[in-house]
Amino acid sequence: MPGSLEAVSQIRAAGLPLKFATNTTRRSLGRIVNDLASFGLRVEPRDIYTSAAIARDYLADRHLAPFLVVHPELSEDFAGLPQEGDEAVIVGDAGAFFTYDRLNQAYRKILRGAAFLAFAENRNFLDRDGELSLDAGPFVAGLEYACCRKATVLGKPSHSFFELAVEGLGLDAGDVAMIGDDAEADVAGAMAAGLMGVLVRRVNIAPARRRA
């Protein structure tokens, strides 16, 4: 977005604490850092909050073995976790890697008592071809319907996601502003968690085509 790098520079120059939050589940944390650097924005991994990173901490704290229904690139973010014992099914935006077999395996594990986690419940997103594509939300909803269980959502707009970011800033929620281009996941989610919400619009994208 034009002016975004300058805005970040001004925030940093003013000495204001700054974190970055994303629901993207097709890119590992390492790739996100590298992608931002390629745009001229240098960010430390500890300053980026992703639903995958939160999921990893959730699993590690509870000694759960992950069963991943995610894009293969995210596998590196879950390296080193237990491979045996109590399990957790984790559903993200797997894109073309959503298959019947994988979803059916997840379904059976949830029925047998595995924890059921979702990165987010986004319905769709604006794809590279300019058209809307399915996000993870419809697949999460399908498993919820089949299993008669609700998933624990770890990404935006869940309260826990924003609470973790606020904790990392060392501030009260009312002193933090969430700036984003998604009215539901970014702004409404942040305001529900007690933060201020600031909505920006992507250039050349009409309101009806924004990520939902």
Side-chain angles (χ1 to χ4, degrees):
M1 178 179 293
S4 58
L5 293 178
E6 292 80 2
V8 171
S9 295
Q10 290 178 23
I11 291 172
R12 287 173 166 169
L16 297 174
L18 177 66
K19 301 288 183 180
F20 297 84
T22 176
N23 263 5
T24 184
T25 58
R26 291 193 185 183
R27 290 180 292 170
S28 66
L29 179 58
R31 182 180 166 191
I32 291 172
V33 170
N34 291 334
D35 286 348
L36 291 175
S38 71
F39 300 143
L41 182 60
R42 298 199 174 279
V43 182
E44 295 295 325
R46 64 176 179 273
D47 291 329
I48 300 176
Y49 290 91
T50 69
S51 47
I54 293 173
R56 181 191 171 84
D57 290 343
Y58 185 101
L59 298 175
D61 290 344
R62 293 162 178 79
H63 306 288
L64 295 173
F67 180 82
L68 302 175
V69 185
V70 301
H71 195 280
E73 185 169 324
L74 278 190
S75 297
E76 67 182 69
D77 286 352
F78 294 90
L81 289 172
Q83 298 300 309
E84 298 179 351
D86 293 338
E87 288 187 300
V89 170
I90 305 166
V91 183
D93 178 14
F97 298 94
F98 276 121
T99 65
Y100 174 83
D101 287 344
R102 195 67 176 172
L103 288 167
N104 196 47
Q105 284 181 277
Y107 164 69
R108 291 176 174 178
K109 289 179 182 293
I110 295 169
L111 285 183
R112 291 196 293 266
F116 182 15
L117 310 177
F119 287 154
E121 293 180 307
N122 300 62
R123 296 183 183 88
N124 51 53
F125 66 96
L126 188 71
D127 219 328
R128 293 180 179 179
D129 61 2
E131 298 290 335
L132 291 176
S133 291
L134 287 174
D135 209 324
F139 298 93
V140 174
L143 285 171
E144 289 178 332
Y145 174 76
C147 300
C148 298
R149 281 180 58 187
K150 291 291 292 181
T152 297
V153 179
L154 300 175
K156 297 180 293 181
S158 71
H159 278 218
S160 59
F161 187 96
F162 290 108
E163 288 169 357
L164 183 64
V166 168
E167 180 181 327
L169 289 166
L171 299 170
D172 293 330
D175 294 326
V176 177
M178 171 69 199
I179 304 171
D181 65 353
D182 189 315
E184 181 181 1
D186 293 336
V187 177
M191 293 177 69
L195 291 73
M196 294 176 281
V198 180
L199 180 66
V200 295
R201 182 181 299 177
R202 291 187 181 183
V203 177
N204 296 329
I205 297 178
R209 306 296 291 275
R210 290 198 302 270
R211 187 181 180 98

